[in-house]
Amino acid sequence: SLNDVQIVADIMAKKNDYYASMLWVFYYTGMRCEESMGLKVEYVDLQRSSITILNAVTVSGGVRQEGKPKSEASSRTIPIVAQCRPHIQFLCDRAIEKKSQYVFVGEGRPSRLAKEMAKKPSKREIHAISYSTWQKALSEAVTEAGSQGVRYFTSHILRHSALIQLLRAGYSTSEAASFAGHSSESMVRTAYAGLIPNDLSGQADEMSRR
């Protein structure tokens, strides 16, 4: 719930303010972790309120592998809602200050591209925070929030929360699928059947009026 996320965000903000902003971006965009770790500042258009997903990152043995998103449908544009805007702005400004092209940059240099393996650490580019570092920070904060009644959740569950918000706001399953980067709306219908209204009387009345 929004209240749970707020409690965890407050806990994370006490340790690192950028962790809290990362949490809110996950909550309002529904991005996959591998998409967020590959998100570059140039892909965020604050004037048009949009985030474009063009690549994804996986890390193995401390080496980053950058490639295309999970599927063709995963390459998409996500709208930036007003609640998310200050957080994505903060992260972009912070990345620019640290001279990193990646939005979700951490404090250190957690991983390297394969082509950088032979370089000295000082010559490496500053990449996005690693998934393991982020997941550890989130897990610790959520565990601490348990004393306030917060149920345990992960970044993937935050992705589900974003889709639930869309459906509750009245968006169609096809719109929700496009937002999440699913190739078909059938996955949305299957996973969130309880949130999809079965009463079509409103639509019927509107069709009759027209």
Side-chain angles (χ1 to χ4, degrees):
S1 69
L2 178 61
N3 183 62
D4 287 348
V5 177
Q6 183 65 67
I7 292 173
V8 175
D10 290 342
I11 293 173
M12 299 186 92
K14 294 177 182 177
K15 298 179 180 179
N16 288 299
D17 51 1
Y18 67 91
Y19 278 162
S21 286
M22 286 176 62
L23 181 69
W24 286 118
V25 172
F26 273 112
Y27 182 71
Y28 285 117
T29 66
M31 281 192 291
R32 298 180 177 94
C33 279
E34 60 268 26
E35 295 170 347
S36 65
M37 301 307 154
L39 182 63
K40 296 181 179 181
V41 175
E42 64 183 290
Y43 299 159
V44 178
D45 190 334
L46 290 167
Q47 288 188 326
R48 297 182 179 179
S49 295
S50 65
I51 295 173
T52 302
I53 304 298
L54 294 176
N55 64 335
V57 166
T58 56
V59 179
S60 178
V63 180
R64 290 166 57 91
Q65 298 292 334
E66 296 198 18
K68 295 181 179 180
K70 187 176 181 180
S71 65
E72 185 176 342
S74 297
S75 297
R76 64 197 187 282
T77 298
I78 302 172
I80 301 174
V81 298
Q83 294 88 336
C84 179
R85 187 180 184 85
H87 300 290
I88 195 72
Q89 173 78 73
F90 168 75
L91 291 171
C92 285
D93 290 344
R94 181 173 177 274
I96 293 171
E97 180 183 346
K98 288 182 169 292
K99 299 181 179 180
S100 173
Q101 59 181 320
Y102 295 92
V103 175
F104 288 73
V105 62
E107 289 293 350
R109 295 170 176 171
S111 57
R112 294 175 283 178
L113 290 172
K115 65 182 180 181
E116 296 174 336
M117 289 297 289
K119 294 182 179 181
K120 294 181 180 180
S122 60
K123 298 295 183 180
R124 282 157 46 190
E125 296 179 21
I126 301 177
H127 294 307
I129 186 173
S130 68
Y131 173 72
S132 59
T133 300
W134 159 248
Q135 191 56 39
K136 180 182 178 181
L138 176 61
S139 179
E140 290 176 351
V142 174
T143 299
E144 183 177 338
S147 61
Q148 300 182 55
V150 175
R151 295 176 62 185
Y152 192 83
F153 63 83
T154 63
S155 297
H156 190 68
I157 292 177
L158 288 176
R159 174 171 162 78
H160 288 300
S161 296
L163 294 182
I164 289 172
Q165 291 179 82
L166 284 179
L167 293 171
R168 284 178 174 169
Y171 285 84
S172 67
T173 52
S174 61
E175 289 172 321
S178 177
F179 180 91
H182 291 312
S183 57
S184 171
E185 63 178 289
S186 61
M187 183 177 294
V188 176
R189 287 188 172 278
T190 301
Y192 308 101
L195 295 173
I196 300 172
N198 294 316
D199 182 5
L200 300 180
S201 59
Q203 289 89 327
D205 291 342
E206 178 62 15
M207 291 173 65
S208 299
R209 186 191 67 78
R210 294 192 179 188

